[in-house]
Amino acid sequence: MRDVAIVGAGQTPYGAHPRQSIKELFATAYDAMVESVDRAYDPDEVDAAHVGSLGVGGYQLGITGASVTSHIGLTGVPVQRVENACASGGFALLNAVQAVGSGVHDAVLAGGVEKMLDLSGDRSKYWLGVSGDTEYERLAGTTFAGVYAIIAQRYLAETDAEHEHLSKVAVKNHENGALNPKAQFQREVSLEKAAGAPEIADPLNLYDACPTTDGAACALVVPADEATRYTDDPVYVTGFGGGSDYLALHDRETIVSLPAVREAADAAYERAGVSPSDVDLAEVHDCFTIAELLAYEDLGFADSGEGWRLVDEGATDRDGDLPVNTSGGLKAKGHPLGATGVGQVVELFEQLRGEADERQADGDVALSHNVGGSGGAATVFVYEVAR
């Protein structure tokens, strides 16, 4: 494998885009990516594209990739839609990194897009539910929130964590989202309000859940030794990994840890030659607040059952020892399913280049963590930059 780098990354504002199709959303993200490339960008250099999308609402389930890339004028190259539920964007990036790293291609576009807010609440629940096991979870009536509520119940029963620690995750991420002009929710929330919100699935309440979101994101992956042709400040992908697990909760040995994440993280750390203690900041998959606590543990930032202590002590605050979700995370920035994994890259690309403005954190080593469904699939990436 040769080393690879990201030389451009951009996204749409996350939220409601009732007048834009997925083609137009993708084009907006692509234009933002092109603008982030410091030097002349020639789209003819792009050899392939991988586009993450769950296809919420069935708007363009067939050949989604070519549908959106042709709209930006990218034709004549292999384009593939990648679907791995909420980890679709992460796996699109994984495919791009592997394609460039292996030498098969020299410049690959990784992107993602989702349009979720055209649907009614009931239809949205249906599309979110397809990420669970069809036979034993979805058709039995379990919602996406219900699955994570079961995980949260078990975690609170097995550890010393309390619901207040879940609420502290929400408070932290809303505080960060308030500083992000691309975030869906640009407002802070008090601990009292977060803890006292209406229940959606015991023990989770409204502020424990991410929103449904329209949005798109793009990143350009090239060989590391070609990166300075595009920019003076490339972000190097030094580690990457993917993992999978049983889809249904009842098939797993434990539901308070995600083996797919641990497999992906182990591979990423080994390739990068770093350990969890070397990571300076991270974007993790907080579709529900409990998911962020599990991420702390599965990524090696905390021992099993002790992740809640990090948020309780403020370690993962923007000015803490390990800032997590400076973008606002899925919780406040938003969660357009197919775009989320690539949108995490956009935040870390800006952070490592010192371009994150008011939400800027310190660090040279960053990590992103993208989970599909309740842990059936996951990707982890390590990024580094030379200061």
Side-chain angles (χ1 to χ4, degrees), residues 249-314:
L249 294 185
H250 70 258
D251 284 328
R252 303 179 191 174
E253 291 185 9
T254 176
I255 62 171
V256 294
S257 173
L258 305 184
V261 172
R262 292 180 180 251
E263 292 163 2
D266 287 347
Y269 289 140
E270 182 177 358
R271 285 191 173 95
V274 301
S275 67
S277 62
D278 295 314
V279 176
D280 297 317
L281 67 157
E283 286 289 302
V284 306
H285 195 95
D286 61 322
C287 53
F288 295 91
T289 52
I290 182 61
E292 181 163 327
L293 298 189
L294 297 189
Y296 296 165
E297 299 172 18
D298 290 331
L299 294 169
F301 301 148
D303 292 336
S304 295
E306 300 293 322
W308 60 273
R309 296 186 187 278
L310 293 184
V311 72
D312 194 45
E313 297 164 358

Side-chain angles (χ1 to χ4, degrees), residues 187-210:
R187 60 178 182 269
E188 297 185 14
V189 60
S190 68
L191 181 60
E192 181 182 14
K193 185 174 182 178
E199 185 177 276
I200 57 172
D202 183 32
L204 303 180
N205 69 32
L206 186 64
Y207 275 100
D208 290 313
C210 70

Side-chain angles (χ1 to χ4, degrees), residues 170-192:
V171 171
K172 170 183 69 72
N173 291 349
H174 273 272
E175 181 179 327
N176 292 337
L179 300 177
N180 186 353
K182 296 290 181 72
Q184 185 168 357
F185 295 145
Q186 297 175 35
R187 60 178 182 269
E188 297 185 14
V189 60
S190 68
L191 181 60
E192 181 182 14

